[in-house]
């Protein structure tokens, strides 16, 4: 009779574990040192969103348990944004507005990245990354850093597509290694 309570708790634990894996991946130093992602609050936000997109896209279109985990994962992101704002000293009256903007950014980026991936348009994905991660004002010209990050997304997306849903949804998403392209900046 109360099995839904256990399911909800199980999905919440899974989402917590998945979010931890997403954040750990987003904190990989190579994104910042080798791929040119700005090591700022905005840059770190973008890397969390980008890696969260990969997991959420893998769960998209699956059965109800996967959808429940996806919802809990998104809720965990919003909670994390709220916590971060408060830790940064943002005033209580401004926190909801900033969290709402962060959540809206997540949904916008997920849509951008999903559309670019669905169209198999390598340039569209690099443009979306360029405008979201590197230069919000201008999406041209596409930098080698944006191209390398697009390559990372495609390889991670493919790796997760070949991963069983059980593995992908239990907190062990298969992210790709971060490959440095010849045209990228030299090692610092």
């Amino acid at each position: 009779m109360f099995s839904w309570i256990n399911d909800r708790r199980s999905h919440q634990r899974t989402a917590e574990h998945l979010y931890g894996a997403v954040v750990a991946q987003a904190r990989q130093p190579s994104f910042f040192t080798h791929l040119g992602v700005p090591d700022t609050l905005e840059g770190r936000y973008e890397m969390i969103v980008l890696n969260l997109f990969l997991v959420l896209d893998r769960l998209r279109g699956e059965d109800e348990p996967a959808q429940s985990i996806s919802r809990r994962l998104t809720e965990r992101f919003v909670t994390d944004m709220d916590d971060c704002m408060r830790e940064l000293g943002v005033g209580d009256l401004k926190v909801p507005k900033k969290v709402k903007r962060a959540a809206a950014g997540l949904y916008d980026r997920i849509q951008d990245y999903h559309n670019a991936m669905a169209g198999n348009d390598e340039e569209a994905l690099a443009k979306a990354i360029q405008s979201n991660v590197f230069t919000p004002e201008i999406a041209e010209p596409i930098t080698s850093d944006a191209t390398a990050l697009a390559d990372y997304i495609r390889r991670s997306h493919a790796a997760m597509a070949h991963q069983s849903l059980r593995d992908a949804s239990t907190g062990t998403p298969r992210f790709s290694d971060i490959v440095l392209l010849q045209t990228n900046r030299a090692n610092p």
Side-chain angles (χ1 to χ4, degrees), residues 104-165:
L106 170 69
Y107 289 115
D108 290 345
R109 284 156 178 78
I110 285 174
Q111 195 63 44
D112 287 349
Y113 298 145
H114 179 74
N115 290 342
M117 293 293 293
N120 285 326
D121 184 351
E122 291 181 30
E123 189 172 313
L125 182 58
K127 277 184 180 181
I129 290 167
Q130 181 72 28
S131 66
N132 290 324
V133 177
F134 296 105
T135 54
E137 305 83 34
I138 304 170
E140 298 287 340
I142 297 173
T143 65
S144 61
D145 293 334
T147 302
L149 204 47
D151 180 59
Y152 161 78
I153 292 172
R154 289 194 182 288
R155 286 182 292 101
S156 292
H157 196 269
M160 284 186 199
H162 290 97
Q163 185 178 19
S164 75
L165 179 62

Side-chain angles (χ1 to χ4, degrees), residues 162-181:
H162 290 97
Q163 185 178 19
S164 75
L165 179 62
R166 183 172 185 266
D167 287 345
S169 65
T170 57
T172 54
R174 190 176 298 151
F175 295 103
S176 174
D177 291 334
I178 301 165
V179 176
L180 306 178
L181 300 179

